[in-house]
Amino acid sequence: MFRRLVLALALLSACSAGPKPSPQPQPSDVAGPEVPSDEAAPTGRLPADVKPTHYALELTIDPDQPRFSGRVEVEVTLEKARRHIWLHGQGLEVSEAEVIPDGGQPLTATYTEAEAGAAKLTLPAAVAPGKARIALTFTGAFSDRTNSLYRVTSAGESYAFTQMEPVWARQAFPCFDEPAFKTPWDVALVVPDGEVAIANTREVGRKPAGEGKVRVQYATTEPLPTYLIAFAVGPLDVVEAPPIRASDVREAPLPFRGVAAKGRGKDMAYAMKHTPAILAELERYFGIAYPYDKLDIIAVPDKGGAMENAGAVTFREWLLLFEESSASYDQRRAFAYVMAHELAHQWFGNLVTMPWWDDIWLNEAFATWMGYRAVDGWRPDYDADVQMLTRVLGAMGRDRLVNARQIRQPVTRNDDIHNAFDRITYQKGGGVLAMFEQWMGPETFRKGLQGYMAKHRHGSATADDLIEAFSAAAGKDVSAPFKTFLFQPGLPEVRAAVSCEGEPSLTLTQGRYLPLGSTAKTDQAWQIPVCIRYQLPGNDEPQQSCELLDQPVKKVTLKGCPTWLMPNAHAAGYYTWSLDPESLKKLTTKGLAALDDREKLSFGAAVRNAFDAGHLDAKAAFDALLPLVADPNEEVATAPMGLFHRAHRYLDGDEGLRGVLARRAKAAYSPVLQQLGYQAKAGEPLSNRLRRERVLGFLIAVGRDEVAQGRAAKLGADMLNLKGERLRRDVVDPNLAGLVAVAFGMTATPEQFDALHARLKAERDDAVRGHLLAALSSPRAKGLGDRALGLVLDPALRVQELTTPLRVRMSYPDTRPEAWTWLKAHLDEVVPRMAPRRAAWLPDLTTGFCSTERADEVRATFAPVASKVPGGPRELAKAVESIRLCAAAREKQLPGLKAYLGG
């Protein structure tokens, strides 16, 4: 029926279009060169001479069945004659395959699947250059690993959802599964009558399809690549909100809905209330209307993260389903940042799409940067500027590895595609963009982005296209500085040395930052926008000076001899820095209080990096960082904790000195906890609530504070309420809920473990399940460690929860050896249960180790698995390198650490 309808419409179009076109040559009449029949199967990009121009896709989806079926018709343009056509298909059974040349007779094709998700259509004769249509009828199995077209069960009901990015559309239907191929789509879904069916665009028709099914037709999409196609089918709750009102850049109201599993729609009130304000911030910045005909936000059971599908954005339930009164600040803030990130993608990535995965940073780095900017406009109290910097500093920790990617990394294999979704692409990319925004000026930067969007609307664009737009807006070529950050890996280091002899000056020297044990090359250089801030004697306001550090060494004249100097003003630059010893002492003793929160975080990171590089010993590093402990900002106050954690790892096997370190940790942070107390106080600053959670957790884990652990466990017992019917979320500050659950779990008895497990199996709410699973993962009682680890193979755990027991037990030194032994013994059972990308990240769980022997063991254990999971080899290499770097730093710093602790 579907095929006849498409053919009839095509015939009608041909008859009404005026004079008949000239007859097309039949396959036997083809002249000119033909693509050789022995062309190798593509493992990266498909051949460029076949381009799709339109899809008509019909899928029959019944979430209660193990398989789905469908038919796809793809209009294509061929630039060369071909007896075979490469496209993508993986794990599909194709029962009918035809290629219909424009004006010619259908050719029956043979469909075969090759490596790396490629598929080949072999034809009995060559198809001439020009237009053609590919028609395929197929079936496939639903995925059970939350990728492609997959099934999940929630509260006994079955649902089907999609996650096509990056290369999983090919498992749902045959297609040209590359981002450059943006085409309009006509989609129809055949689903059980009575079930909800959501797609990228609005529903425009519905009719019976027999056998208790209905056929739902959707409006033609704007041009979209395959990775943005989305469906949701099942007994879903649909929350119809008032349309988002028209704006200065959007003339019409925007249809807006929330979608959740059956019975959960009532929990979407917070997300429905606040999403329009975030969208307004984005439209205001871009000056371009939201580009699609509706906005559905969809809460998906057992999903990790979120996905920016055009018009049908999917989210982990935890991000959308909660009551404001019981949600932690982190949960509400996560909603804001992730919602802003995914909605920013409607412009970055959806409206303008990268042609290939080497430019995925154009999607993810911009959405990261823009997401924080939008949240800052909506909720300044969320401290978005500081929060973004903490993520950027985390990326710097990865960027110092030899095995780190560059932002714009060549992509030749599927492994490269999966590796591109990492902290370098998201957080480093976002940090670099923020740096260049400040260097160019915010309005010039914005003008360049708006020009880029307007020029490439509904099309594709590369890094060169973006840099060209920035250069046009700036009135000068900005490509050289940009490209030094895009096209090479590594963390730049700016070494600053003050001289007050003669004319005061600052000498800036750049190079690649290398931690102890690194084998990275040192002959790298960047063009770095560097801004310094410094105080002159007798001046109330600090001075600021900015330079483009485009040479290995550059001398900057100062207006006087500074009382203190900060080498990264407002921490706007993507670089770590160091100061000559005297200037560092002045900054620590005289300038620290004058720094803003971002600068204090940059200071903390610079001190830790100097320690990791061997430029500061333990005493100098602790002396520099400990003054931050009393800071009212939670990110600044907790910055010294990273140094304590490093020291704790270096002291593995020396319980005596670990005890000394614990007492030092208590001495530093117990006064903070005493001031804050264990429970939130009415009217207290939000930063107090956030500091309380982090300080209490640190005192339990590193400070070995038995009083703090006991108090937290008691709060956990009251909250979990195992003798009652349900959790009592009102007895503890929501920001402490996860921590006190872990504290209770540490003391759990076998009977309490059983009660927690029974509660977990019956619970639907993501946040509550997280508390229960954290408690179940934490027991120290004999015999319960193995039961906790066994949860990884328990059907009661969702796919996205599988690593929680391992992550918790691998993070504590006393449970790490047992967890590692268990993981090695069960690795072949664990990996098949996991979502593909999460399986690749398993080696990262081992980075708490700190010896070359453990590094070798980790490599040997994971090597056979890494080669079989997407992105596995690079993730393993990064984990092994991290362990080796820790071992090198330990060897260098351990004598000084022992001396500092009195050992």
Side-chain angles (χ1 to χ4, degrees), residues 349 533 660:
R533 205 160 69 88
V660 176

Side-chain angles (χ1 to χ4, degrees), residues 334-348:
F335 155 78
Y337 292 138
V338 177
M339 180 61 70
H341 181 103
E342 301 308 324
L343 293 185
H345 272 309
Q346 306 307 305
W347 289 267
F348 291 122

Side-chain angles (χ1 to χ4, degrees), residues 639-653:
M641 293 180 183
L643 191 58
F644 277 102
H645 284 295
R646 284 166 169 77
H648 200 264
R649 291 170 70 191
Y650 297 167
L651 294 170
D652 185 26

Side-chain angles (χ1 to χ4, degrees), residues 158-229:
S158 296
Y159 302 87
F161 297 101
T162 54
Q163 173 60 46
M164 302 303 192
E165 189 182 39
V167 291
W168 291 319
R170 64 192 65 178
Q171 297 177 16
F173 45 83
C175 56
F176 293 80
D177 198 11
E178 292 183 12
F181 297 133
K182 294 181 73 172
T183 77
W185 293 68
D186 283 300
V187 172
L189 299 180
V190 178
V191 301
D193 193 7
E195 296 206 339
V196 174
I198 306 289
N200 296 92
T201 53
R202 287 183 284 181
E203 180 180 326
V204 295
R206 177 181 291 255
K207 62 183 180 180
E211 299 181 347
K213 293 182 173 63
V214 293
R215 184 180 187 275
V216 185
Q217 183 72 46
Y218 301 90
T220 303
T221 72
E222 298 286 358
L224 294 176
T226 48
Y227 81 85
L228 291 175
I229 298 303

Side-chain angles (χ1 to χ4, degrees), residues 713-722 726-733 736-738 740-742 759 771-772:
K714 175 62 169 59
L715 288 171
D718 292 343
M719 178 190 72
L720 293 167
N721 189 31
L722 293 182
R726 58 191 312 161
L727 205 78
R728 294 181 60 201
R729 303 177 79 169
D730 60 327
V731 301
V732 66
D733 178 2
L736 290 178
V740 300
V742 168
R759 185 83 64 83
H771 302 332
L772 295 168

